Amino acid sequence: MSISFNRNRAQISFEQFIGALSADELSVKKEEFKNHCLTDSEVQQLNNDLKQDAIDFFYNGILSFSEGIDSIFQKRFSWATVKLYYSIFYLMRASLAANGFAILRCKSMFRLKVNVGEKPYHTNSKKYNTTHEGTVNHYKDIFSASDRLLSNKIEDIDAYEWMMNAREIVNYRSVSFLEPSCLDIWNFFSSCVDDGTLVVELKNLEDDNYIKCFQEEYAVVAIPIKRMQQTISDMATAGLLTQLTQDREIFAKTVIGYDDRSLSILSDIFQHG
C-alpha cells in the first residue's frame, strides 16, 4: 500500500539547501546539516515555509482543541486529556514557526532561528531528542522568560510538563481508559457537565489572569485555553490569523459545537472568517 503525505516545508527546504534529496543522503550529511549557515535567499525561502507551516500547525491545534472540548461535554475525559495535550503541542509548534523558529530533524532534533548566518542548534541531552519532549524543551529554552504559563508550577513541575504527565497517564501508564469514571483532575469539569455550567466555566477560564492554570482543579483545561490565546496572539502578530480557510473554520466550529453550545471560546479566530 502506498501512502502519500506532506512533510514540514521548512524541513524539506533545509534538506535541499545541503543537497540531501533522500533519507539516506540526509543520514550521511549530518555534519553538513549541523554546520550549514543560512544565506539571505535561504532565509527568504524558510520564512515563506514557516508561514505556511505555522498555519497548518495552528489548524492542527484548533482541531485538537475542539475535539478535546467536545469530549468534555460528552464526559469522555480520557480522550479529552489526550486531545488537549496534543492541542498544546501543535499550538507550540505554530508559535515557534510564527516567531521564526524551525524545528528540524537529522537523526536527532535541532532548532533553527531563521536569520542570515544562523545554523541549527543541537544538544546531546535526551530531553531534546524526542518529538514531543524535544519540542517542549526547545520552546522553553526560547520563551521561558516571556510565556506566562512558565511563570509558576503545579506540584513542582511546569504547566507543559504537567500536561505531558497527564497525557502519559492516560496513554501509557493506565491499562485502560477510566470511563465512565475519570482522573481526579477532571472532577470539577465532570460536575460542570452534570449541572450544566460548563459553558460558563470555560468563559471564566478564558477571562482568568493565569491563576487557575496552576491550580490542579482547573489546570487540565485552563492550560490549553491560555496556550490557545497565546498562539492566537502570535499568529496575529505575524499577520497569519486571517489565513485559516473557510472550510477549516466551518469544520472546527462543527467539531466543537460552537454555535449549538453558545460558546465564546475561539471567537478571536472565528470572527476573522
Side-chain angles (χ1 to χ4, degrees), residues 14 17 36 38 46 50 100-104 110-115 118-121:
F14 196 84
F17 296 161
H36 181 80
L38 294 177
L46 285 178
L50 284 178
F101 288 91
I103 297 294
L104 305 174
F110 296 75
R111 71 172 183 259
L112 175 66
K113 175 61 177 173
V114 180
N115 280 333
E118 292 282 353
K119 61 183 179 180
Y121 170 81

Side-chain angles (χ1 to χ4, degrees), residues 144 146-163 185 205 208-224 226-227 230:
S144 60
S146 58
D147 185 346
R148 293 183 67 184
L149 282 169
L150 295 170
S151 65
N152 208 336
K153 294 188 176 183
I154 312 167
E155 299 177 334
D156 296 323
I157 58 175
D158 67 63
Y160 297 125
E161 187 175 351
W162 189 88
M163 284 296 299
I185 57 175
L205 293 177
D208 179 64
N209 191 27
Y210 286 84
I211 295 173
K212 293 182 177 179
C213 297
F214 308 109
Q215 298 175 6
E216 194 172 79
E217 182 180 11
Y218 309 103
V220 70
V221 181
I223 294 168
K226 291 304 176 187
R227 179 65 259 168
Q230 291 180 177

Side-chain angles (χ1 to χ4, degrees), residues 1-16:
M1 178 173 60
S2 175
I3 300 176
S4 177
F5 61 93
N6 295 322
R7 297 190 298 143
N8 299 338
R9 299 166 185 83
Q11 175 78 35
I12 293 171
S13 288
F14 196 84
E15 291 175 8
Q16 292 173 345

Side-chain angles (χ1 to χ4, degrees), residues 12 23 61 66 76 129 132-133 144-145 148 240 246 257 271-272:
I12 293 171
S66 298
R76 296 167 56 204
N129 286 335
H132 287 260
E133 188 180 22
S144 60
R148 293 183 67 184
L240 300 174
Q246 187 176 27
Q271 70 183 1
H272 291 284

